[in-house]
């Protein structure tokens, strides 16, 4: 399988690249400026290309030959400068929906190519019919808990809006909401898969390592279960 990974230098995207290569897939790693990475790359089975995920024409130019595109788009690179990504997300929370529209527009030229968008956990239902992104009180409570500014609520809603953009499309899209607590850690390959509600562990926590998130994403790429649907994972 030939997999394109947008945001290939990010926390999740870089691990998706590694997981895909380890499984024997070909990878086109996509980032805003791929030249430095391409010059330093030593792994077999991977090429680097630059792409502007907000520009449908730019995305369309890299689609030929790809079976699946996994998009981990973030404004900035949270893996190297989280504060900058937070600032950019607060400044323009509409970027996530803009990227979703550009991806869908580009896929009009390749309707058989699958799209998997890595989004946010804020659009998951925390109770029947209750979505955290729809409640200012719940959002502020969560942001205070994880140490993010309350202004980041706009970005959480931006991820939700991107999901809603996808839901209007007949393209072969999948939306991935990671667990609420996701960070670099261990690849265990052991986790549970859910739909529109977070998967909670024995302590009532929604958590996953970035490595196991990459496993879940490659599992979905290889054996589609959630076409035109959202899924999540957790321990």
């Amino acid at each position: 399988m030939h997999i394109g990974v947008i945001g290939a230098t990010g926390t999740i995207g870089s691990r998706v690249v590694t997981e895909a290569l380890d499984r024997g897939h070909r990878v086109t790693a996509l980032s805003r400026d791929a030249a430095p990475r391409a010059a330093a790359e030593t792994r077999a089975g991977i090429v680097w290309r630059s792409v502007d995920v907000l520009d449908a024409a730019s995305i369309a130019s890299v689609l030929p030959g790809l079976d699946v595109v996994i998009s981990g788009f973030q404004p900035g690179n949270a893996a190297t400068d989280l504060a900058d990504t937070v600032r950019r997300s607060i400044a323009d929370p509409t970027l996530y929906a803009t990227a979703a529209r550009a991806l869908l527009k580009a896929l009009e030229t390749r309707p058989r190519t699958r799209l998997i968008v890595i989004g946010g956990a804020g659009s998951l239902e925390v109770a029947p019919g209750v979505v955290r992104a729809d409640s200012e009180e719940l959002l502020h409570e969560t942001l205070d808990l994880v140490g993010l500014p309350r202004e980041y609520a706009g970005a959480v809603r931006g991820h939700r809006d991107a999901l809603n953009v996808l839901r209007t499309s007949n393209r072969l899209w999948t939306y991935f909401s990671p667990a609420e607590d996701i960070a670099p850690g261990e690849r265990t390959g052991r986790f549970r898969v859910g739909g529109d509600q977070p998967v909670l562990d024995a302590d009532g926590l929604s958590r996953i390592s970035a490595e196991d998130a990459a496993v879940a994403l490659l599992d979905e790429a290889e054996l589609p279960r959630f076409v035109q649907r959202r899924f999540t994972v957790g321990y």
Side-chain angles (χ1 to χ4, degrees):
M1 186 181 293
H2 191 176
I3 301 173
V5 182
I6 295 172
T9 62
T11 300
I12 303 178
S14 62
R15 287 159 175 81
V16 169
V17 169
T18 298
E19 182 71 22
L21 291 174
D22 287 348
R23 296 191 188 199
H25 298 298
R26 289 187 296 147
V27 173
T28 294
L30 301 160
S31 67
R32 295 173 186 83
D33 181 10
R37 295 284 180 163
E41 184 61 70
T42 59
R43 294 171 293 183
I46 180 172
V47 295
W48 285 83
R49 295 186 65 181
S50 297
V51 72
D52 179 359
V53 75
L54 302 178
D55 181 356
S58 177
I59 300 167
S61 71
V62 302
L63 289 180
L66 298 182
D67 299 298
V68 183
V69 176
I70 300 176
S71 175
F73 164 73
Q74 289 279 351
N77 188 337
T80 57
D81 192 340
L82 176 60
D84 178 62
T85 295
V86 170
R87 283 193 298 270
R88 290 171 182 257
S89 299
I90 292 171
D92 189 358
T94 68
L95 288 174
Y96 299 104
T98 300
R101 292 188 187 95
L103 286 161
L104 293 173
K105 180 67 176 176
L107 286 170
E108 291 178 3
T109 66
R110 300 280 168 174
R112 297 180 65 85
T113 301
R114 290 190 60 220
L115 169 66
I116 304 175
V117 172
I118 303 169
S123 58
L124 291 167
E125 291 185 355
V126 295
V130 179
V131 174
R132 194 182 305 277
D134 295 339
S135 167
E136 198 79 4
E137 180 180 353
L138 289 175
L139 271 180
H140 287 172
E141 176 184 293
T142 301
L143 294 172
D144 291 347
L145 185 65
V146 300
L148 286 171
R150 289 187 172 188
E151 292 81 3
Y152 193 74
V156 177
R157 289 190 290 265
H159 278 296
R160 175 205 60 195
D161 295 344
L163 172 57
N164 288 336
V165 167
L166 294 174
R167 282 172 166 163
T168 67
S169 171
N170 61 359
R171 298 273 77 87
L172 302 178
W173 62 268
T174 298
Y175 188 90
F176 174 67
S177 284
E180 294 172 358
D181 179 3
I182 180 167
E186 181 184 0
R187 184 196 186 281
T188 71
R190 298 186 300 274
F191 48 82
R192 291 174 295 142
V193 179
D196 289 321
Q197 295 81 34
V199 176
L200 306 179
D201 65 12
D203 297 319
L205 301 176
S206 167
R207 60 188 185 90
I208 195 76
S209 71
E211 288 77 5
D212 278 339
V215 174
L217 287 159
L218 263 295
D219 287 350
E220 175 63 21
E222 292 176 344
L223 185 62
R225 297 173 55 195
F226 296 96
V227 176
Q228 295 185 349
R229 295 169 60 197
R230 180 252 296 282
F231 79 105
T232 187
V233 295
Y235 294 127

